Amino acid sequence: MIEEKLEEITGGTNRMLKDKIAVVTGASRGIGRECALTLAGYGATVIVNYNGSKEKADAVAAEIAAAGGTAKVYQANVADSDAVKQMMTDVKKEFGRIDILVNNAGITKDNLLMAMKEEDFDAVIETNLKGAFLCMKHVIRIMMKQRAGRIINMSSVSGVMGNAGQINYCGSKAGLIGMTKSLAREVGSRGITVNAVAPGYIDTEMTQGLSDEIKESFIESIPLKRMGQPKDIAETVAFLASDRASYITGQTISVDGGMNM
């Protein structure tokens, strides 16, 4: 018994998500990709959702399969209610349940308020905020019937602190925190937890395009003096998706190297 526990703690045969069915939106790249790989690594069957990057989504599923895991690629625009409803219905029909939803799909269209186009504001809110709303709306009945489920919403340090030039993005990510708390209160009695993760400055495709000067200024503001890695976020998501986090709900977990202390 002690040996088994020791092996689990050290990651030897940690299958804490074995037999779980997880839907990860925006899973073709960046943090979503890492979440899909990590959840699969802990034993979950992962639905790799994407909107436009089929080749990248297929690559994620192939990587999971090569490591001995199970994944299914599913195209759906999270801002389209009918598409989201069909995705959840199809997953439930094929696998019998949905245990985990990671609302990760998101876009940016940055600009200062005075120069921001209304359509750019709408596009970010549609995907980042409404998309999460639709995914939660169409999965929650399934989870309520199961009397179990884990929902993890991908917010951002920008949604907690604000950031110049990102009023649309910050608004969507702050809104996610409010929705997380509200839904956690609505469904807690059914054994469903709802939490948010707020990544800080993470080394992804989105941040790799920044100039060295901007990167250095970001790093200077981080107590740990380094960028985070997608794996840092994915491990937090996996913990919140597991039974180990069964008494955590309505919370926003900042994974930002101390940026938002």
Side-chain angles (χ1 to χ4, degrees):
M1 192 68 179
I2 294 175
E3 289 79 6
E4 290 177 5
K5 189 65 178 175
L6 203 57
E7 190 174 17
E8 180 183 317
I9 291 171
T10 57
T13 56
N14 192 333
R15 305 287 285 174
M16 65 182 179
L17 300 178
K18 186 175 182 294
D19 299 326
K20 302 296 185 183
I21 308 300
V23 175
V24 182
T25 69
S28 64
R29 60 189 178 89
I31 290 173
R33 172 185 178 276
E34 195 64 43
C35 286
L37 294 172
T38 299
L39 294 180
Y42 283 119
T45 293
V46 179
I47 311 308
V48 180
N49 163 260
Y50 75 98
N51 184 25
S53 306
K54 185 180 188 305
E55 185 176 341
K56 290 182 178 180
D58 285 340
V60 174
E63 190 170 346
I64 290 172
T70 304
K72 180 182 178 66
V73 172
Y74 201 108
Q75 192 280 332
N77 178 358
V78 297
D80 182 332
S81 183
D82 290 340
V84 172
K85 182 178 181 180
Q86 191 63 55
M87 176 173 67
M88 299 304 179
T89 299
D90 289 347
V91 173
K92 169 65 165 59
K93 183 177 181 180
E94 181 170 354
F95 297 100
R97 58 190 297 113
I98 299 176
D99 301 289
I100 302 159
L101 168 64
V102 182
N103 278 316
N104 170 77
I107 62 172
T108 58
K109 290 184 180 291
D110 299 347
N111 215 330
L112 296 174
L113 172 63
M114 290 189 296
M116 184 175 289
K117 297 177 181 177
E118 187 175 343
E119 54 264 35
D120 288 345
F121 180 87
D122 289 343
V124 171
I125 296 298
E126 283 279 310
T127 297
N128 299 8
L129 189 60
K130 185 181 177 183
F133 159 76
L134 291 173
C135 287
M136 291 191 293
K137 178 179 176 63
H138 292 302
V139 83
I140 203 63
R141 289 185 185 277
I142 296 170
M143 290 183 171
M144 288 179 75
K145 287 180 180 178
Q146 297 169 177
R147 300 192 71 85
R150 300 281 185 268
I151 296 175
I152 300 105
N153 292 322
M154 200 62 67
S155 182
S156 168
V157 66
S158 298
V160 179
M161 296 174 60
N163 195 29
Q166 286 194 316
I167 197 166
N168 50 1
Y169 184 77
C170 295
S172 70
K173 295 301 185 178
L176 270 175
I177 293 173
M179 290 204 306
T180 295
K181 293 176 182 291
S182 294
L183 186 58
R185 291 184 181 276
E186 291 182 15
V187 299
S189 64
R190 297 299 185 98
I192 302 165
T193 66
V194 190
N195 291 289
V197 175
Y201 182 39
I202 308 299
D203 187 14
T204 63
E205 291 178 17
M206 190 180 295
T207 56
Q208 285 167 3
L210 298 174
S211 68
D212 290 340
E213 184 180 358
I214 292 175
K215 288 180 181 179
E216 287 173 11
S217 68
F218 271 126
I219 291 172
E220 187 59 33
S221 68
I222 301 170
L224 290 184
K225 301 303 178 189
R226 64 176 178 84
M227 290 187 293
Q229 296 299 316
K231 188 70 171 175
D232 296 320
I233 309 304
E235 289 290 348
T236 304
V237 168
F239 167 70
L240 291 173
S242 76
D243 290 340
R244 296 174 179 181
S246 63
Y247 202 56
I248 301 173
T249 196
Q251 303 304 305
T252 301
I253 312 298
S254 294
V255 186
D256 59 9
M259 193 176 181
N260 181 43
M261 275 198 285

